[in-house]
C-alpha cells in the first residue's frame, strides 16, 4: 500500500557533527512533508515542514530538502547538541483507497554523543 | 505545553473494564485526532474528526469508540480491550484550511494504557 519509509532507525552522532535522516514516499500527489521530534515522556512536536512548491527550507540548525521526482525528503541537523537527542518522525499526506491522511514513518532514534 | 491536554496520563485496566480517555484543546482548531503509538507501529492514525466529519481507519477494532461532542473535546471509549491494545494513545489537533488541508498538528502528552 501507500506508505512512508524512514531510515535509519537509529543514529548516533558525535556532538557538533551533522545528522541526516531520510524518508521516501510512494504517493506522487503528496504535497505536505512535516518532521516531528518526540522527547521522552512527551508527544511529538513539529520542528519543520515543507510543501511541494519548494525544494528546501531552513530554520537555524535544521533544514529539510525535498526531491519530488525521486519522491524522497531529508532532515538535516547541523552542529548537533545533546538536546537534539530524541526520536524523529517524518510524514507525508498519502492517498490510500480514496482516503487521504497524514502517514508517519517508523521513526529514527537520534543519540548525540557528548 | 502544547495546548492539548490528555487525561489520564496513565491507565491500567482489566479486559472486562470500560474506561474513557479524554482530550481537550482550546487552540481554536477544527480537527482532532487519535493516534496509537506502540513499538510495532510508531504512529498509527485511529480516528479523525475534521470539519465536523469523522474519518475512520477501517483496521481499528470496534472495541475502540471515539466521541467528539464539540470542536474542543475528544473522547476515546474503551471496552473489552485485549493485552495487545496496551500502548501510548496520543491525541492531536490542527487547523484544517480549505486551501492548505494539512498544517501543524499539536500533540498531547498521551495516555499510557496497560491492559491486564
Amino acid at each position: 500500500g501507500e506508505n512512508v519509509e524512514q531510515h535509519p532507525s537509529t543514529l548516533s552522532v558525535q556532538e557538533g557533527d551533522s545528522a541526516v535522516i531520510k524518508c521516501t514516499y510512494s504517493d506522487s500527489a503528496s504535497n505536505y512533508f512535516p518532521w516531528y521530534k518526540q522527547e521522552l515522556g512527551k508527544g511529538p512536536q513539529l520542528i519543520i515542514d515543507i510543501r511541494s512548491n519548494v525544494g528546501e527550507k531552513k530554520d537555524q540548525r535544521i533544514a529539510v530538502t525535498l526531491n519530488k521526482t525521486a519522491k524522497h525528503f531529508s532532515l538535516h541537523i547541523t552542529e548537533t547538541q545533546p538536546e537534539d537527542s530524541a526520536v524523529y518522525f517524518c510524514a507525508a499526506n498519502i492517498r490510500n483507497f480514496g482516503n487521504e491522511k497524514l502517514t508517519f514513518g517508523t521513526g529514527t532514534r537520534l543519540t548525540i554523543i557528548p | 505545553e502544547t495546548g492539548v491536554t490528555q487525561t489520564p496520563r496513565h491507565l491500567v485496566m482489566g479486559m472486562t473494564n470500560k474506561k474513557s480517555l479524554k482530550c481537550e484543546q482550546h487552540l481554536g482548531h477544527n480537527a482532532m485526532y487519535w493516534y496509537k503509538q506502540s513499538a510495532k507501529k510508531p504512529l498509527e492514525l485511529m480516528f479523525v474528526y475534521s470539519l465536523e466529519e469523522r474519518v475512520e481507519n477501517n483496521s481499528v477494532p470496534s472495541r475502540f469508540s471515539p466521541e467528539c461532542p464539540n470542536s474542543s473535546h475528544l473522547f476515546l471509549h474503551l471496552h473489552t480491550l485485549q493485552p495487545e491494545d496496551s500502548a501510548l494513545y496520543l491525541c492531536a489537533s490542527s487547523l484544517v484550511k480549505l486551501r492548505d488541508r494539512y498544517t501543524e498538528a499539536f500533540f498531547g502528552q498521551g495516555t499510557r494504557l496497560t491492559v491486564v
Side-chain angles (χ1 to χ4, degrees):
Chain A
E2 305 288 345
N3 59 18
V4 176
E5 294 189 3
Q6 183 171 347
H7 299 281
S9 56
T10 60
L11 178 62
S12 294
V13 172
Q14 204 72 35
E15 182 179 354
D17 288 350
S18 296
V20 181
I21 304 170
K22 298 181 180 180
C23 287
T24 59
Y25 60 97
S26 51
D27 185 356
S28 56
S30 297
N31 58 9
Y32 179 62
F33 309 92
W35 285 91
Y36 283 81
K37 174 184 180 183
Q38 187 173 22
E39 297 175 329
L40 198 61
K42 296 184 179 180
Q45 188 167 3
L46 183 78
I47 54 172
I48 195 167
D49 58 9
I50 192 169
R51 297 189 187 271
S52 58
N53 56 346
V54 297
E56 185 175 358
K57 186 174 177 181
K58 193 172 180 182
D59 183 3
Q60 298 181 346
R61 297 187 296 108
I62 294 171
V64 56
T65 58
L66 171 66
N67 184 327
K68 282 213 73 178
T69 305
K71 289 189 282 187
H72 67 71
F73 57 112
S74 300
L75 177 72
H76 305 254
I77 306 174
T78 58
E79 300 171 27
T80 53
Q81 300 168 5
E83 54 264 37
D84 295 328
S85 293
V87 180
Y88 291 81
F89 293 95
C90 64
N93 57 319
I94 300 286
R95 197 173 301 270
N96 197 359
F97 301 108
N99 285 326
E100 183 181 5
K101 64 178 182 180
L102 198 62
T103 302
F104 286 83
T106 50
T108 296
R109 182 172 298 280
L110 175 64
T111 302
I112 305 302
I113 305 165
Chain B
E1 181 61 53
T2 63
V4 179
T5 305
Q6 287 187 244
T7 54
R9 291 292 309 277
H10 301 272
L11 178 62
V12 179
M13 61 185 288
M15 289 189 282
T16 58
N17 290 160
K18 288 185 181 181
K19 295 285 184 184
S20 296
L21 309 184
K22 181 182 176 182
C23 178
E24 192 171 346
Q25 61 89 10
H26 297 287
L27 301 169
H29 291 170
N30 57 7
M32 296 188 78
Y33 313 80
W34 280 116
Y35 284 88
K36 178 183 178 181
Q37 188 170 48
S38 63
K40 215 173 182 179
K41 290 188 179 181
L43 272 171
E44 183 183 7
L45 181 65
M46 299 176 72
F47 300 103
V48 180
Y49 280 86
S50 176
L51 299 174
E52 300 181 2
E53 285 185 356
R54 172 173 141 181
V55 178
E56 298 185 35
N57 180 344
N58 291 329
S59 66
V60 178
S62 59
R63 55 187 183 266
F64 295 92
S65 174
E67 179 189 359
C68 191
N70 54 61
S71 59
S72 299
H73 295 86
L74 183 67
F75 296 90
L76 187 63
H77 303 300
L78 317 170
H79 64 98
T80 58
L81 293 193
Q82 303 297 312
E84 58 265 29
D85 296 322
S86 298
L88 181 69
Y89 288 85
L90 289 159
C91 171
S93 71
S94 70
L95 184 62
V96 173
K97 304 173 186 176
L98 289 176
R99 180 168 178 171
D100 289 327
R101 184 173 175 178
Y102 293 96
T103 58
E104 179 177 1
F106 290 75
F107 284 84
Q109 291 186 290
T111 295
R112 174 68 62 185
L113 174 68
T114 304
V115 181
V116 297

